[in-house]
Amino acid sequence: MADIIVKIINKSDNELPAYATAQAAGMDLRAHLETAITLQPLERTLVPTGLFMELPAGYEAQLRPRSGLAIKQGLTLLNTPGTIDADYRGEIKIIMINLSNEPQTIQPGDRIAQMIIAPFVQAKMEAVEMLTTTERGSGGFGHTGKS
Ligand SMILES: O=c1ccn([C@H]2C[C@H](O)[C@@H](COP(=O)(O)OP(=O)(O)OP(=O)(O)O)O2)c(=O)[nH]1
Ligand SMILES: [Mg+2]
């Protein structure tokens, strides 16, 4: 795999994000908190990470939920996948929501999300009067059936 360098400033006491296994797609991100926070059912909040990044041009970071938190506690990311732009220099923050029917607590240093670094393309938009015809046409949203 190519070496992709991401510059990072860590203003938290947490360790730098890292891949946990040889082929892990995501690096876990930890909550940068002084005290624990509790989310009531359906409550959402912005959780700081203490991380500031500079991605190479042509790359984005995607913030995604952790499946364990989702299944065990109903904690997930409201805007998943969150998008970190290559030109963003602010703190990375995570929009957590409690989709369970009980209060859920996030402790300082908890791994609350995972981050995937991915390439993207920027497209040019070309305004036209007509689009080409296809077999699908405008069929969608279950048009091809279930099986
Ligand atoms: O979960 C997220 C999503 C975004 N961001 C930061 C990085 C991103 O580059 C910037 C803008 O995100 P987005 O484009 O999703 O938000 P917006 O509501 O469109 O704001 P803006 O008008 O600033 O683009 O906010 C985060 O820290 N966490
Ligand atoms: Mg935006």
Side-chain angles (χ1 to χ4, degrees):
M1 268 190 274
D3 276 341
I4 304 299
I5 309 291
V6 175
K7 294 180 184 169
I8 188 162
I9 294 172
N10 182 8
K11 294 190 179 172
S12 78
D13 294 333
N14 303 322
E15 64 219 59
L16 275 184
Y19 297 107
T21 62
Q23 292 296 320
M27 304 182 227
D28 287 343
L29 299 184
R30 294 176 182 273
H32 174 47
L33 296 170
E34 291 195 353
T35 54
I37 50 173
T38 297
L39 293 181
Q40 300 302 318
L42 292 184
E43 187 179 355
R44 63 183 185 270
T45 195
L46 200 52
V47 182
T49 64
L51 302 174
F52 301 71
M53 295 197 322
E54 184 172 334
L55 291 155
Y59 288 82
E60 60 159 339
Q62 300 169 6
L63 304 182
R64 300 190 196 163
R66 296 186 65 215
S67 60
L69 285 185
I71 188 66
K72 290 177 201 156
Q73 294 178 264
L75 284 173
T76 189
L77 277 61
L78 179 56
N79 61 329
T80 184
T83 303
I84 308 297
D85 300 290
D87 52 4
Y88 179 67
R89 297 291 177 268
E91 182 175 6
I92 295 172
K93 295 182 181 175
I94 297 168
I95 307 173
M96 299 296 295
I97 186 165
N98 174 10
L99 295 184
S100 78
N101 50 20
E102 291 162 4
Q104 299 293 343
T105 297
I106 299 171
Q107 302 287 345
D110 275 0
R111 290 178 292 148
I112 52 174
Q114 57 185 319
M115 176 172 73
I116 280 80
I117 309 293
F120 66 88
V121 295
Q122 280 189 338
K124 290 189 180 119
M125 304 303 279
E126 180 187 350
V128 295
E129 296 298 326
M130 280 181 61
L131 305 176
T132 59
T133 55
T134 66
E135 187 182 339
R136 172 181 287 277
S138 57
F141 314 100
H143 170 79
T144 61
K146 273 191 175 179
S147 56

